[in-house]
Every structure is written in structure tokens, then in C-alpha cells.
Amino acid sequence: MKDEPVAKNTLTKLASAFIRKEPFGLVLIIAPWNYPLNLTLVPLVGALAAGNCVVLKPSEISKAAEKVLAEVLPQYLDQSCFAVVLGGPQETGQLLEHKFDYILFTGSPRVGRIVMTAAAKHLTPVTLELGGKNPCYVDDNCDPQTVANRVAWFRYFNAGQTCVAPDYILCSPETQERLLPALQSAIARFYGDDPQSSPNLGRIINQKQFQRLRALLGCGRVAIGGQSDESQRYIAPTVLVDVRETEPVMQEEIFGPILPIVNVRSLDEAIDFINRREKPLALYAFSNSSQVVNQMLDRTSSGSFGGNEGFIYMTLPSLPLGGVGNSGMGRYQGKFSFDTFSHHRSCLLSHAGLEKLNEIRYPPYTAWSQQLLSWALASRSCTLL
Amino acid sequence: MDPFEDTLRRLREAFSAGLTRPAEFRAEQLRGLGRFLQDNKQLLQDALAQDLHKATQLDSAFIRKEPFGLVLIVAPWNYPLNLTLVPLVGALAAGNCVVLKPSEISTSVEKVLAEVLPRYLDQSCFAVVLGGPQEMGQLLEHRFDYIFFTGSPRVGRIVMTAAAKHLTPVTLELGGKNPCYVDDNCDPQTVANRVAWFRYFNAGQTCVAPDYILCSPETQERLLPALQSAITRFYGDDPQSSPNLGRIINQKQFQRLRALLGCGRVAIGGQSDESQRYIAPTVLVDVRETEPVMQEEIFGPILPIVNVRSLDEAIDFINRREKPLALYAFSNSSQVVKRVLARTSSGGFCGNDGFMHLTLASLPFGGVGASGMGRYHGKFSFDTFSHHRACLLRSPRMEKVNDLRYPPHSQRNLRVLLVAMEAHCCSCTLL
């Protein structure tokens, strides 16, 4: 919160120069349903710490969490500065007609566009935490069981309803053959022989999402899992193979416990495949060779990158969470939240006196005074006006 | 029936009243959040279980700055080189390919940028495109990876709306009316020198120039002769023949400004010459808030003075209006200067001087609210034109260490996991 002093040039040596971080004012946070508490409260912490008043719009889809946030949370905060508003797409549209001083939105790219368009009318800055298909490249040079453990855990966590989960695997046919039994093994280890009865496996949020996911089970060929139970909105941890790029499972963000494997014949082919598509929120590369991991990092772009890891970086507040391109703009988490929800105001406090020192900058100019002025402004930089 | 109107108004009032400013208030709010989580663990777990059947209980890290890709820079006419090249430096330094759209209004500079500049750069990564509003509209239908726009708020909205279709991030350097508060406790000649120089520089066509003065009638009486004196000193008895006074960019702007000369009463200057697009350094008094000169950004060598009876009245006046790009306060009392700073918001602020803060590359330059979003200059340019990619590279080995986090979870595992995550100073382990 403290003012940040900055370096000065000759003309401003006697002044006080600093950046002051100020709240924007009225902040709107629109939260999604997949981590309805975390993705509501973590932004809220940033917005409050930065000194803003906050309007929270939790997702109407995660109804039980919405109820707690609406009924219980306000009791713990000063309600003259904080409010929870409820509603579906229509109410959100109405809400967005109002002017806010900052909007943080977590959700799909489609709705992200709507939010940014509405924000543009009021020149409201935004952070959009969106999504995409997060590629997971698995090199031939790897230990299949280690990779399978890590990928499976991050894919099936929260029944796959995670914006930064690995969405699909890219690997050679040979590596696929080694991975499949390892994935089966990891799934059995984590969730038992009957995953449906495991307490560690989530469920799909609602019927609409369940139906959408069940339809994706028809793509390619089911290598592992594939079972579903409508009464529980349960979908088994599934791996699909022989998947073509044009099939629906490779066209939309999966957001469920389904992991397609797409074959590539080399690292170059994998990189081309990734770069032909929208920039994802997260990108993963698994290899025993750090060279390979670094090449993947150097030759692609994504919100964030994990080498031999899934999204555990989310628990490192020193790393920002944010997208690029279609996966979003802006970032938050830890210190970045405070900075995101603050306006960084440049301040210079000069002397009211010492007017004699200003003489060189006033016209009329001589050749000499112009030279002096250039020097004083530290003519390394652009004095061209 | 708008269900949100009342709630939003209430919160805005609270913010304007400054409730959320003190650190202690914010800390109290955060402690409240913490207690909410502590007190309602079971309730929250049940809710998560109901919605999502969630199970409860859980190398080298760095930020890599990467270019976005294809950057569009749209530049204005008032400082056609500086406001084109300074952003360009940032975009190129960050490794982007750049499309430059200079202003068609500053025609001579546009010509040089279009014909000469490309020869000095690699033209496979850099291009200049030309045109007016219609061509701009066409250009904006294309997808860019970043757009940097300097211009008016009206066009800023158009640019951001177009950017939204492609989810393209933007920096908008816009404008507004930059207030200049002059306290009774000041040396009028010093203030007049400083205000006049920054107001009339480039014939007032500067987005961060002081746009209007707020002061008491008494201070106005002391300021007027001092302003006259400063103008004479800088530009001579016949400012029109001074080599140090600029001209208005074109007829349209000239006509607009000449019409503003009819507002209030001319106290100094007021002359104009259409053949030269010349407007004399002018000061207007007896100006009402509703007159055009107080309704739009002036962007010319005209300085209206609006009277207020106190610092509080000045601050209220400022806060009733859109947040400006720059805000100035002149006073011998640093307390007064700091109060203006503390109780207002603006892109940048300077106490006892004009836009000197722009000369420091260590200070970011950008607006807030209607005056813009994002910032640049110096290191901030590089950061603005880069995507900050969070990277974590872990070892493919040491898989045993990961065993802790895999299900099935035992109470013991969860406790150890929590401790390990807390070691990273992670607060919210609630998923």
C-alpha cells in the first residue's frame, strides 16, 4: 500500500517522485461455478486489500455455494462497501449496463467478449480469466508411470472441471502404448476399482454439462473408462484414443474427466499443432530432457507453463494466474491481485519555490539554454516532442 | 425495474466517502473474510459437496516476458513523433511485430513515418498503414494481439469495443479536463510561470496540460497580472510573432477553439488569426460550469478560471467529474498539496508544477477511468507490450514426494499436505 519512490532526473532531483497505488472504486467480480469459493474469494481478497468497494456476482449454477455467499458472507463484511448480487445471464446483462471502475470476470471466452464489450462502453478496465484447450505434450523420453500419475491427478481432479487442467495429450503412438496401462494404473490407485464409489472423485455440476460430456464419449475410441451414470451426473475417468482433430472433443474445451490422446510424430509436429490453435490458459510438457521442456516453452505461448507438472503452481502466490489471447488478459493471485485492483498513480511533488532553477526551461530560447535543457532531461531518452 | 441501482449507488457513495481507504478498514475486512472461512468450514464443505461432490481435505518458478505477437499502435497528431515512437520502442523491445497507424491529421509527419521510417526497420516485422476514420474502422476489424491507442475517450470506446470481439488487450491513453487547483497560499508569479508554460506549450494541444484553474476570487485577482506577465515574458508583446508559440493543427480545431473564446469573459488574449490558425494565449474568467469551455477538453491555448471558495469545494468540483489524465495543485503548503492528492484520483499528479512527471521514465504514464487504462514509458512500456507467462519447471523424478497429494487421502496425508502448502505462504487451500 505504501507509496513506491522512483528514480529522478536532474530537473526533478529536489522533488519527491513516487507511485501511489489507489483503489479504482467500485469493482465487480463475476465468479464461475467450478471452484465457486476459491475463484470468488481469492479475487475478493485482492479487491478489498486494494481498498475498493466490491459487488460480487457468484455463479447461479453452483447453487449451494451461491446461497452461502449471499446469506452468510455479507455478515462478516461491512455491507456499506460490499454486496452480493444474484441472477442468471439476463440479470448479469442488466448488471453489466451499469458503470464499474473495474471488472474481473472468470468464465468462458464467449462470455468474456460480452463482458469486455459492455466494459468498453464505460471505458472500464477488465481482467478476464478465460479458458481453452490446454495441451499436454508427453515426450518419448519419459517415465510413463510418473507422467501418468501427474497427468491423471490434474485431469480428473474436480471431475475435470478445471480451467487449467491438461485438456488433451500429444504424444507418439509408441508413447501412447506405454501411457495407457500407466494411466489405468494411476486411475485404479487414486479412485479404486470402482471409481464411482470413490470419495475422491467429483461429479458434473449439472445436467446440461453432463449431457454435453456424455456426447463427447462417442469421439474416437474409449481406451479407459467411458462409463456414465445420469442419476449421479457421474462420468468415469476416461481416456480416448484414435481421436481426429475435427471431432467435437478436440473442438471445444472439455471441462470434464475425459482425456483424449492425439498422436504426433515429433516435437516439431506437436509444436506446430499447438501453435495452429488459440493460445491456451496453460501448457504442459513432460520429458526427462530439460532441453525438450525448454524448447516447448520457447516455441509456444500460453497463460502459464508447467514442465513435468500440472497446475500446482496455483498454490504459489509468487506466480501470477492469467491468460493470453483467447484464454484471457490480466492476472491476479498474491501480490498481483493487489496490483491488478489498484490504479498506479504517478506522483511528483515539486518545490513551490526555487523558481530560479526553472529559468532554463522558459522561452525565449537561446542555443545555449536548449543544450542545457537537453542535458538536464538526461538526453539518453527521447526528448523529441 | 433495475434491481441493482440502489445497491450500486450505496456502494459508490461509501467509496466516495473514503470508507475503504484506511489500511485498518481493509485489514478488518480481510480478517472478516478469514473468520467467515473459519466459522463456516462445515457449511462450505457441504455446499461444495452438494454442487460438485468435492472431496475435502491436499523446482524452478519464474515469470517469462514474451511478446504478444502483432501489435497495433494508433497515434495522435499533437506530438506525432513522440507519441508514435515511444510506444513503438516498447513494442519492438518486447519482441512484437508492429503495425503503426499514424494520424492522418499531422500530414507531414505521417509522410515521413510512412516513407522514411520503414527503411530503417526490418519490413517483414513492421509496417505503416495510412488512412482516416473509415480505414481505421476497417483496420480494427482485423485481429491484433495488442492494441495501443492514444486519442479521445470517444474513439477509445470504439477501439476497445472492436478489441473485445477478438479478446485483444488494450492500452488506451485518452484525455479529459485536467484540473489545476491554485491555493490562496502561493506566490502568484511562480504559479503563473509554471501554469502558463505548460498550458501554452504546443499551443495547448497537450493531453496533460492544465485545462482549467480552480481558485478563489482573491487569488484570481493576484494571478491575472502574473499570468499576463509570464505570457509577455515567454512570447513577447506580440505573441503571434514569437517563434516559441505553436499553431492549431487544422481548421476544424481552430474553429472549435475560436468558438470557445466566447465563453465567460476574456481577461487576457482572445485574439485569433484564421489565416495562420493562430490563437493568442488566452485566459477566461467568469466562466460557468455549463459553458462549452468547461464541458469538453480544451486542447488549445485557452485557460479558464473557475472560482471556488475553499479547498473542499475544489475537491468536490473535481470529484463530481470524470477522472482526469493529470491533476495539478499549487500551494506553499505541502499539506494542501497532499490533501488534494489524497482526496482525488487521476492518471498522474504533480504538485507545484506542470507535467514534469512525464519526463521521468521511472514513472508510468497512463490514465484512469475516462482518461484511460494501462500505462507505458521506460520499463513500463516493455511490461505493457509483454505477456507475463508464469512458468514452473519441476523434476521428472522424485515422484515419491508427490505421493502425498494423490488420493486416496488419509487424514495424516492431508495434514502434511497443508503444512507443505503453508510453507509456501499459501492462505486459501480451499478448492
Side-chain angles (χ1 to χ4, degrees):
Chain A
M1 238 181 96
K2 286 214 184 78
D3 293 338
E4 235 176 74
V6 299
K8 297 177 280 200
N9 61 25
T10 310
L11 283 181
T12 49
K13 267 282 176 276
L14 297 175
S16 160
F18 54 93
I19 298 171
R20 171 167 292 191
K21 296 184 185 182
E22 305 182 334
F24 279 105
L26 185 54
V27 169
L28 170 64
I29 295 173
I30 299 178
W33 51 261
N34 58 332
Y35 293 87
L37 286 181
N38 182 297
L39 297 179
T40 306
L41 298 182
V42 175
L44 179 61
V45 163
L48 290 176
N52 297 285
C53 285
V54 183
V55 172
L56 205 60
K57 161 67 189 85
S59 171
E60 72 284 8
I61 292 177
S62 40
K63 292 199 261 300
E66 186 198 37
K67 196 160 153 46
V68 176
L69 290 169
E71 295 177 9
V72 184
L73 174 56
Q75 296 169 31
Y76 289 77
L77 299 173
D78 188 324
Q79 295 187 49
S80 59
C81 304
F82 173 79
V84 178
V85 297
L86 307 181
Q90 189 174 3
E91 288 77 14
T92 304
Q94 244 185 324
L95 187 61
L96 286 170
E97 280 168 25
H98 291 269
K99 178 178 182 175
F100 293 92
D101 301 306
Y102 203 94
I103 298 177
L104 186 141
F105 168 79
T106 308
S108 70
R110 186 187 69 83
V111 182
R113 283 182 180 81
I114 295 171
V115 171
M116 188 173 173
T117 303
K121 293 190 179 64
H122 298 290
L123 288 171
T124 298
V126 300
T127 286
L128 306 176
E129 300 276 331
L130 309 177
K133 291 183 76 57
N134 305 320
C136 182
Y137 172 70
V138 181
D139 197 36
D140 289 344
N141 177 9
C142 75
D143 169 51
Q145 193 56 62
T146 298
V147 173
N149 290 348
R150 297 179 189 189
V151 174
W153 192 69
F154 288 104
R155 167 76 285 189
Y156 303 119
F157 187 84
N158 200 29
Q161 295 160 117
T162 306
C163 54
V164 285
D167 186 278
Y168 63 96
I169 287 182
L170 284 167
C171 69
S172 68
E174 296 74 39
T175 295
Q176 174 177 311
E177 286 317 299
R178 294 156 70 219
L179 262 184
L180 284 172
L183 284 165
Q184 178 66 77
S185 179
I187 291 169
R189 170 185 164 182
F190 298 162
Y191 311 114
D193 292 314
D194 177 28
Q196 190 168 0
S197 59
S198 163
N200 295 305
L201 196 55
R203 294 294 182 267
I204 306 310
I205 184 71
N206 63 14
Q207 274 299 324
K208 177 178 167 192
Q209 293 297 325
F210 173 82
Q211 300 298 347
R212 180 185 67 80
L213 287 164
R214 196 161 64 171
L216 295 182
L217 293 169
C219 300
R221 174 172 64 80
V222 173
I224 299 173
Q227 302 89 353
S228 62
D229 179 346
E230 190 164 338
S231 67
Q232 283 200 1
R233 298 192 308 276
Y234 165 80
I235 293 193
T238 297
V239 177
L240 301 175
V241 296
D242 302 338
V243 165
R244 284 186 319 278
E245 208 180 332
T246 47
E247 296 188 79
V249 78
M250 285 307 293
Q251 292 297 314
E252 57 185 78
E253 185 174 355
I254 294 168
F255 228 65
I258 299 168
L259 182 63
I261 301 182
V262 173
N263 290 141
V264 288
R265 281 156 305 184
S266 66
L267 175 60
D268 284 343
E269 198 181 316
I271 288 174
D272 284 342
F273 185 95
I274 289 168
N275 287 340
R276 275 204 310 271
R277 306 166 73 92
E278 292 292 355
K279 294 176 187 175
L281 188 54
L283 210 157
Y284 303 103
F286 287 84
S287 174
N288 285 334
S289 156
S290 65
Q291 241 100 315
V292 167
V293 170
N294 277 298
Q295 260 200 75
M296 182 56 82
L297 172 59
D298 288 345
R299 293 165 58 189
T300 60
S301 186
S302 60
S304 57
F305 179 91
N308 291 314
E309 186 58 307
F311 54 82
I312 197 72
Y313 69 83
M314 277 182 79
T315 62
L316 277 181
S318 51
L319 282 180
L321 172 64
V324 65
N326 223 51
S327 53
M329 58 182 76
R331 69 263 189 84
Y332 72 111
Q333 277 255 115
K335 178 186 189 297
F336 301 97
S337 289
F338 186 89
D339 284 344
T340 286
F341 288 109
S342 302
H343 164 53
H344 299 220
R345 190 181 192 188
S346 292
C347 304
L348 184 66
L349 304 184
S350 283
H351 255 276
L354 302 178
E355 182 62 353
K356 272 261 155 262
L357 291 180
N358 283 334
E359 301 285 295
I360 55 170
R361 68 184 187 189
Y362 297 139
Y365 298 118
T366 61
W368 157 246
S369 66
Q370 276 178 341
Q371 257 172 18
L372 199 55
L373 198 58
S374 286
W375 168 81
L377 281 171
S379 49
R380 282 189 319 266
S381 54
C382 197
T383 53
L384 193 68
L385 288 172
Chain B
M1 231 307 292
D2 187 329
F4 308 113
E5 195 86 55
D6 289 338
T7 303
L8 297 181
R9 191 180 345 109
R10 172 166 56 79
L11 261 53
R12 278 216 175 278
E13 279 164 12
F15 183 79
S16 301
L19 249 69
T20 61
R21 299 290 184 133
E24 185 43 46
F25 179 87
R26 307 182 201 186
E28 186 52 42
Q29 293 301 285
L30 294 174
R31 283 195 288 267
L33 254 185
R35 282 196 308 275
F36 165 72
L37 289 170
Q38 286 279 79
D39 292 355
N40 298 283
K41 268 205 185 75
Q42 193 56 54
L43 187 60
L44 290 167
Q45 281 169 9
D46 291 345
L48 287 171
Q50 246 181 287
D51 286 336
L52 290 150
H53 197 257
K54 277 185 199 271
T56 52
Q57 311 120 291
L58 320 111
D59 301 79
S60 98
F62 54 93
I63 294 172
R64 172 167 292 196
K65 297 183 186 184
E66 305 181 335
F68 278 105
L70 184 56
V71 169
L72 171 65
I73 295 174
V74 181
W77 51 260
N78 59 333
Y79 292 88
L81 282 181
N82 182 298
L83 297 179
T84 305
L85 299 183
V86 175
L88 179 60
V89 163
L92 292 176
N96 297 286
C97 285
V98 182
V99 172
L100 204 59
K101 162 67 188 78
S103 173
E104 72 286 9
I105 292 178
S106 39
T107 43
S108 309
V109 170
E110 184 197 36
K111 197 162 153 47
V112 175
L113 290 172
E115 295 176 9
V116 185
L117 174 58
R119 296 189 224 143
Y120 291 78
L121 298 173
D122 187 327
Q123 294 186 49
S124 58
C125 303
F126 173 79
V128 178
V129 297
L130 306 181
Q134 189 174 2
E135 287 78 12
M136 253 287 276
Q138 249 182 321
L139 186 62
L140 286 172
E141 280 171 22
H142 290 271
R143 179 179 186 177
F144 293 92
D145 300 306
Y146 203 93
I147 298 178
F148 183 96
F149 170 81
T150 306
S152 72
R154 185 187 68 82
V155 182
R157 282 183 182 82
I158 294 171
V159 171
M160 189 173 172
T161 302
K165 291 190 179 63
H166 297 291
L167 288 171
T168 298
V170 301
T171 286
L172 306 175
E173 300 274 331
L174 309 177
K177 293 182 75 57
N178 306 319
C180 182
Y181 171 71
V182 181
D183 196 36
D184 289 345
N185 177 9
C186 75
D187 170 53
Q189 194 56 63
T190 298
V191 174
N193 290 349
R194 297 176 187 189
V195 173
W197 192 69
F198 288 100
R199 166 76 285 191
Y200 301 119
F201 187 84
N202 201 31
Q205 296 160 118
T206 307
C207 52
V208 284
D211 186 279
Y212 63 96
I213 287 182
L214 283 168
C215 68
S216 67
E218 296 74 40
T219 294
Q220 176 178 308
E221 285 319 299
R222 295 157 69 220
L223 263 182
L224 284 173
L227 282 165
Q228 178 67 77
S229 179
I231 289 169
T232 305
R233 171 185 165 183
F234 297 162
Y235 311 114
D237 292 314
D238 177 27
Q240 189 167 1
S241 58
S242 161
N244 297 306
L245 197 54
R247 295 293 183 264
I248 306 308
I249 185 74
N250 62 15
Q251 273 301 321
K252 177 177 169 194
Q253 293 297 324
F254 174 81
Q255 299 299 348
R256 179 184 68 80
L257 287 163
R258 196 160 65 171
L260 295 182
L261 293 169
C263 298
R265 175 172 62 80
V266 173
I268 298 173
Q271 302 89 352
S272 62
D273 181 345
E274 188 163 341
S275 66
Q276 284 199 2
R277 299 195 304 277
Y278 165 79
I279 293 194
T282 299
V283 178
L284 302 175
V285 297
D286 301 339
V287 164
R288 283 186 319 279
E289 210 180 331
T290 47
E291 295 188 80
V293 78
M294 285 307 293
Q295 292 297 313
E296 57 185 79
E297 184 174 357
I298 293 169
F299 227 65
I302 299 169
L303 182 63
I305 302 182
V306 173
N307 291 140
V308 286
R309 282 157 304 184
S310 65
L311 177 59
D312 284 343
E313 196 181 318
I315 289 174
D316 282 343
F317 186 94
I318 291 169
N319 288 340
R320 274 204 311 270
R321 306 166 74 92
E322 293 291 359
K323 293 176 188 175
L325 187 55
L327 210 157
Y328 303 102
F330 288 82
S331 176
N332 286 332
S333 156
S334 65
Q335 235 93 312
V336 168
V337 170
K338 286 177 179 162
R339 268 173 76 192
V340 177
L341 173 60
R343 292 169 56 191
T344 58
S345 186
S346 61
F349 177 93
C350 192
N352 289 315
D353 215 344
F355 46 85
M356 282 307 286
H357 55 294
L358 257 64
T359 67
L360 283 180
S362 52
L363 281 178
F365 176 50
V368 65
S371 55
M373 59 184 73
R375 71 265 187 87
Y376 72 119
H377 274 195
K379 177 182 188 300
F380 303 99
S381 291
F382 186 89
D383 283 346
T384 284
F385 287 108
S386 302
H387 163 53
H388 299 220
R389 188 181 192 188
C391 304
L392 182 64
L393 305 185
R394 297 194 69 194
S395 163
R397 281 161 279 285
M398 301 203 299
E399 180 60 356
K400 271 261 146 259
V401 171
N402 283 335
D403 279 0
L404 265 184
R405 64 184 186 190
Y406 295 141
H409 297 303
S410 68
Q411 278 301 101
R412 184 185 170 281
N413 275 7
L414 279 179
R415 270 201 300 275
V416 178
L417 193 60
L418 273 172
V419 169
M421 278 157 76
E422 265 162 28
H424 288 294
C425 303
C426 164
S427 39
C428 202
T429 54
L430 191 69
L431 289 172

